[in-house]
Amino acid sequence: MIIKIASTDIKNSITIIKSKWEEAGILSPFEFTFLDNWFQELVVKEKTLSKIVILFTGVSILLACLGLVGLVRYTTESRKREIGIRKVFGATRNSILKLINLQFIKQILLAFVIMVPLSHIAINRWLDSFEYHTN
């Protein structure tokens, strides 16, 4: 049951409601909670979830960057001879960087194409869990 009471005299209102509850002969005990406390609990849960998501997002971005740095280093080390030969034949620094970066750009774009729809679906499912929401 939801009852709106005046905020000026809360204790008196609760005692009146309790007496009416007992007069009605309802067998369950009189227990009450305030709606603003209930909403506050929901907000705290969402803030906690937000902090956890931010933490794991940061850790995953850090790991991805470390993996990318390792992959770039491994690739340049394994293609050291090829880079040297290209430099001898007159390749510019930009053309060598373009050659190396092209392979990573393709991988990043593939990951982007895969993850955008998946993240869109996940976010929509999370937003659908709320009682009131917009499109």
Side-chain angles (χ1 to χ4, degrees), residues 49-91:
L49 177 65
S50 173
K51 288 178 184 177
I52 290 171
V53 167
I54 289 171
L55 175 72
F56 280 111
T57 301
V59 169
S60 64
I61 289 173
L62 177 69
L63 287 176
C65 289
L66 287 174
L68 195 57
V69 166
L71 190 59
V72 168
R73 185 166 176 162
Y74 173 75
T75 301
T76 55
E77 193 66 34
S78 65
R79 296 175 77 177
K80 197 178 215 178
R81 281 191 197 159
E82 177 189 350
I83 293 170
I85 292 170
R86 287 181 184 272
K87 284 291 270 182
V88 167
F89 284 134

